[in-house]
């Protein structure tokens, strides 16, 4: 394959000084996630010795103004146990601030002046995706993109398939695919990475990990938070684009993929791509039958009264944005034929829980008197709030009879390993610096995910129906229960 000559080939760049350049440095994501993650990476000696962090933004700030912003908006998100004033001072000492208006060529000249010639440059684009193309064009025009440069693209990458393709093509004019890190922070979570070890490091699950031994798979990411101050973004986006297109589909891929030949980035991403391509595309009738969209109304979460979505600040009157999605996906391949995959996510739900529930098939026949064929074997992989793996099974109740009761084999990963766990962003930022692409999405993978959600978005738009209401503090609309009930199943919390 020939690479057009303006695109540099990625270099391993092991010993270069690092210039980390953050676009959207004054934004919410930087304040809450990126800067605290970089603080921890610095504290634990995981940044190269000569690191500089250059925050950029539209505001006409001095370096001191930016440090003031960090103090007020970012420091509160650093783990209290790890925060010391000496540590914070050493960390803020790495920073510079450059005012950049994304489209203004002159502003990039200022960036070029402060950036070191022979550094590993990581451009972190924590901005709206419609700026990605302009920023990359300008970076290249200012001579800042060489073989040592890397670019990190935050989600959501685009708004639909066409916009995602356009961004990928535009970024690909200046960066080789191996220099592009499309981030999905779920891939940086400890338990998500552990899922690979559970599946491919243990012999016992392999033979059972397929139809007909698995009856169903449920993937839930339930949040108690509402839309908060992000209505401007969220109302345009909705839960399907914000959570399903990326986080939930990535979890589905790791559960469903074939064993990759190695952990090399392309080996893993090839297998995930095959899963995405095997997902049955829904027709409009199937969208109507197999998806449920909801929007929260006023209620109570954790004992506190909360507003409905339509009453939140900056939500347009009568908004049809969904804050909840449940859907029944099918993977059309040999391993998963006829195994329903139920995906569900929502804001203002009863409790915060992210988990994958693998429900195993029933017994072919029961020899236990009065024993049902329903074995109730489930493997529950909880990502948050706790990191645990539970195997639910039946055991004999002690005594003279043969009564069976459900019991759990419970692996609490936080007790089993007491070492500090890096947050997802910290882990992924270190991967970027070290040039490890396995936990980032490749172009074809991201576009395949868009291609699958697009007919759902289109059918919802065409139907013109409002999302179903659900009371804040519940697990979503009743139709979500009905969705799984059609397969004679229940959601995990109802079991
Ligand atoms: C983000 C979404 O990608 O993930 C947010 O934009 C959501 O809406 C967040 O709240 C959830 O992440 P986590 O790590 O808290 O489960």
């Amino acid at each position: 394959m020939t690479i057009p000559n303006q695109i540099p080939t990625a270099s391993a760049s092991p010993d270069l000084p690092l210039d980390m350049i953050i676009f959207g440095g004054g934004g919410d994501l930087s304040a809450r996630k990126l800067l605290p993650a970089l603080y921890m990476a610095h504290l634990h000696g995981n940044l190269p010795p000569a690191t500089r962090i250059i925050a950029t933004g539209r505001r006409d700030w001095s370096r001191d103004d930016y440090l003031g912003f960090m103090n007020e908006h970012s420091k509160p998100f650093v783990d209290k146990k790890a925060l010391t004033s000496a540590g914070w001072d050493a960390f803020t000492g790495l920073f510079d601030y450059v005012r950049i208006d994304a489209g203004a060529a002159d502003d990039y000249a200022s960036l070029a002046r402060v950036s070191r010639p022979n550094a590993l440059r990581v451009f972190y684009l924590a901005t709206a995706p419609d700026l990605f193309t302009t920023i990359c064009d300008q970076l290249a025009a200012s001579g800042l993109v060489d073989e040592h440069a890397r670019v990190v693209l935050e989600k959501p990458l685009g708004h639909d398939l066409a916009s995602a393709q356009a961004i990928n093509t535009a970024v690909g004019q200046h960066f080789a695919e191996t220099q592009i890190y499309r981030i999905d922070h779920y891939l940086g979570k400890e338990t998500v990475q552990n899922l690979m070890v559970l599946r491919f490091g243990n012999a016992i699950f392999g033979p059972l990990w397929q139809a007909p031994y698995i009856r169903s798979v449920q993937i839930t990411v339930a949040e108690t938070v509402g839309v908060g101050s992000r209505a401007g973004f969220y109302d345009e986006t909705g839960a399907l684009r914000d959570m399903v297109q990326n986080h939930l589909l990535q979890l589905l891929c790791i559960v469903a993929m074939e064993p990759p030949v190695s952990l090399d980035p392309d080996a893993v991403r090839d297998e995930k791509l095959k899963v995405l391509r095997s997902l049955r595309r829904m027709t409009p009738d199937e969208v109507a039958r197999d998806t449920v969209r909801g929007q929260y109304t006023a209620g109570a979460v954790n004992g506190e009264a909360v507003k409905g979505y339509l009453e939140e600040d900056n939500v347009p009157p009568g908004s049809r944005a969904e804050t909840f999605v449940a859907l029944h996906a099918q993977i059309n391949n040999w391993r998963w034929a006829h195994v329903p995959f139920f995906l569900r996510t929502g804001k203002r739900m009863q409790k915060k829980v992210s988990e994958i529930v693998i429900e195993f098939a029933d017994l072919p026949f029961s020899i236990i008197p009065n024993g049902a064929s329903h074995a109730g074997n489930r493997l529950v992989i909880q990502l948050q709030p706790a990191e645990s793996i539970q195997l639910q099974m039946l055991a004999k109740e002690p005594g003279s009879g043969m009564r069976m009761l459900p019991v759990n084999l419970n692996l609490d990963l936080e007790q089993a390993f007491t070492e500090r766990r890096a947050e997802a962003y910290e882990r992924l930022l270190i991967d970027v610096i070290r040039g490890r692409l396995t936990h980032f999405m490749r172009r074809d993978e991201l576009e395949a995910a868009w291609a699958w959600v697009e007919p759902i978005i289109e059918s919802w738009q065409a139907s013109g129906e409002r999302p179903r209401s659900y009371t804040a503090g519940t697990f979503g609309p009743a139709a979500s229960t009905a969705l799984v009930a059609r397969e004679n199943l229940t959601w995990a919390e109802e079991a």
Side-chain angles (χ1 to χ4, degrees):
M1 190 180 87
T2 51
I3 297 172
N5 57 13
Q6 75 269 33
I7 305 178
T9 313
S11 120
S13 328
D15 303 316
L16 295 180
L18 168 69
D19 276 0
M20 166 82 62
I21 298 143
I22 305 177
F23 284 80
D28 215 42
L29 181 77
S30 295
R32 288 164 181 262
K33 298 285 184 190
L34 303 184
L35 302 181
L38 286 167
Y39 173 85
M40 295 302 282
H42 180 242
L43 186 72
H44 291 276
N46 285 325
L47 297 182
T51 292
R52 290 197 358 213
I53 305 175
I54 305 167
T56 81
R58 261 176 313 174
R59 277 173 274 196
D60 201 3
W61 276 346
S62 65
R63 175 173 185 273
D64 278 351
D65 293 334
Y66 191 72
L67 298 192
F69 163 83
M70 288 175 68
N71 250 321
E72 192 176 338
H73 295 285
S74 194
K75 205 170 168 183
F77 292 96
V78 173
D79 179 357
K80 297 286 164 292
K81 293 193 288 294
L83 185 63
T84 61
S85 51
W88 185 252
D89 289 348
F91 177 59
T92 55
L94 308 177
F95 278 74
D96 248 325
Y97 179 81
V98 177
R99 195 196 85 90
I100 296 188
D101 193 345
D106 288 353
D107 292 353
Y108 291 81
S110 320
L111 180 62
R113 272 195 297 279
V114 291
S115 175
R116 290 168 291 183
N118 252 323
L120 160 63
R121 282 189 210 110
V122 172
F123 301 106
Y124 197 117
L125 308 196
T127 65
D130 48 5
L131 296 178
F132 290 176
T133 299
T134 312
I135 294 174
C136 291
D137 287 350
Q138 294 286 0
L139 288 173
S142 320
L144 283 161
V145 182
D146 61 13
E147 73 273 23
H148 304 304
R150 292 174 194 163
V151 65
V152 186
L153 304 177
E154 249 305 327
K155 66 160 271 285
L157 206 154
H159 195 68
D160 53 15
L161 178 58
S163 56
Q165 284 170 329
I167 292 170
N168 281 329
T169 302
V171 175
Q173 304 285 315
H174 310 300
F175 293 88
E177 181 63 29
T178 46
Q179 295 175 287
I180 304 175
Y181 293 73
R182 296 180 190 82
I183 203 160
D184 181 319
H185 78 279
Y186 267 59
L187 295 180
K189 291 187 188 274
E190 184 64 55
T191 335
V192 176
Q193 298 189 356
N194 193 28
L195 191 53
M196 300 271 284
V197 175
L198 180 86
R199 284 198 60 197
F200 305 124
N202 292 291
I204 54 172
F205 295 113
L208 291 178
W209 208 268
Q210 56 188 312
Y213 308 108
I214 291 182
R215 166 132 199 262
S216 74
V217 176
Q218 293 180 14
I219 302 177
T220 294
V221 177
E223 300 183 274
T224 49
V225 291
V227 72
S229 56
R230 297 166 76 220
F233 156 78
Y234 195 85
D235 200 71
E236 297 274 294
T237 309
L240 189 73
R241 290 186 176 96
D242 187 41
M243 299 293 288
V244 178
Q245 187 272 341
N246 33 71
H247 305 325
L248 276 89
L249 284 184
Q250 285 296 320
L251 295 179
L252 175 141
C253 284
I254 300 177
V255 171
M257 71 186 186
E258 296 300 315
V261 294
S262 71
L263 289 184
D264 287 348
D266 281 337
V268 173
R269 299 187 298 179
D270 285 347
E271 296 307 332
K272 291 201 298 185
L273 178 65
K274 280 201 256 170
V275 174
L276 292 166
R277 289 191 172 152
S278 312
L279 279 169
R280 177 183 53 110
R281 290 264 220 137
M282 292 190 202
T283 62
D285 285 347
E286 287 164 343
V287 172
R289 190 191 63 198
D290 292 341
T291 69
V292 176
R293 54 199 296 258
Q295 191 184 71
Y296 60 86
T297 55
V301 177
N302 296 331
E304 265 186 44
V306 295
K307 292 184 207 169
Y309 179 72
L310 293 176
E311 288 92 61
E312 301 271 20
D313 292 345
N314 299 323
V315 169
S319 163
R320 290 172 181 219
E322 78 283 355
T323 61
F324 173 95
V325 180
L327 58 83
H328 172 173
Q330 265 179 31
I331 301 176
N332 282 341
N333 66 18
W334 278 44
R335 183 183 286 270
W336 297 113
H338 310 300
V339 178
F341 279 70
F342 291 104
L343 311 188
R344 173 176 64 158
T345 184
K347 301 227 180 265
R348 288 287 189 227
M349 309 272 289
Q350 195 175 93
K351 61 176 185 184
K352 179 173 169 74
V353 59
S354 299
E355 66 184 16
I356 299 165
V357 179
I358 313 284
E359 176 160 24
F360 291 94
D362 286 339
L363 301 175
F365 176 74
S366 176
I367 60 158
I368 317 264
N370 306 321
S373 65
H374 180 60
N377 294 144
R378 288 176 174 216
L379 183 68
V380 181
I381 302 151
Q382 189 165 109
L383 317 179
Q384 47 196 31
E387 292 180 4
S388 66
I389 301 175
Q390 279 184 7
L391 185 58
Q392 301 178 354
M393 46 205 289
L394 294 177
K396 181 184 162 302
E397 184 185 37
S400 57
M402 275 299 256
R403 211 166 95 84
M404 293 192 292
L405 288 178
V407 284
N408 285 341
L409 281 176
N410 199 348
L411 171 59
D412 180 335
L413 290 161
E414 285 155 63
Q415 261 176 23
F417 303 102
T418 51
E419 295 82 346
R420 177 183 87 91
R421 298 161 136 63
E423 286 284 330
Y425 273 102
E426 180 187 345
R427 196 185 297 260
L428 293 174
L429 278 162
I430 294 172
D431 279 355
V432 175
I433 295 165
R434 299 194 180 154
R436 298 192 295 221
L437 275 157
T438 300
H439 301 300
F440 295 85
M441 280 178 290
R442 205 168 55 193
R443 173 178 183 161
D444 45 9
E445 212 187 321
L446 179 104
E447 292 178 5
W450 273 119
W452 187 72
V453 297
E454 197 153 81
I456 304 177
I457 299 174
E458 283 169 2
S459 291
W460 285 350
Q461 265 163 6
S463 83
E465 280 172 27
R466 284 197 51 74
R468 293 166 195 268
S469 301
Y470 63 97
T471 309
T474 64
F475 268 105
S480 158
T481 306
L483 181 77
V484 291
R486 272 206 328 254
E487 300 291 320
N488 291 324
L489 295 166
T490 53
W491 289 109
E493 74 279 357
E494 296 162 351

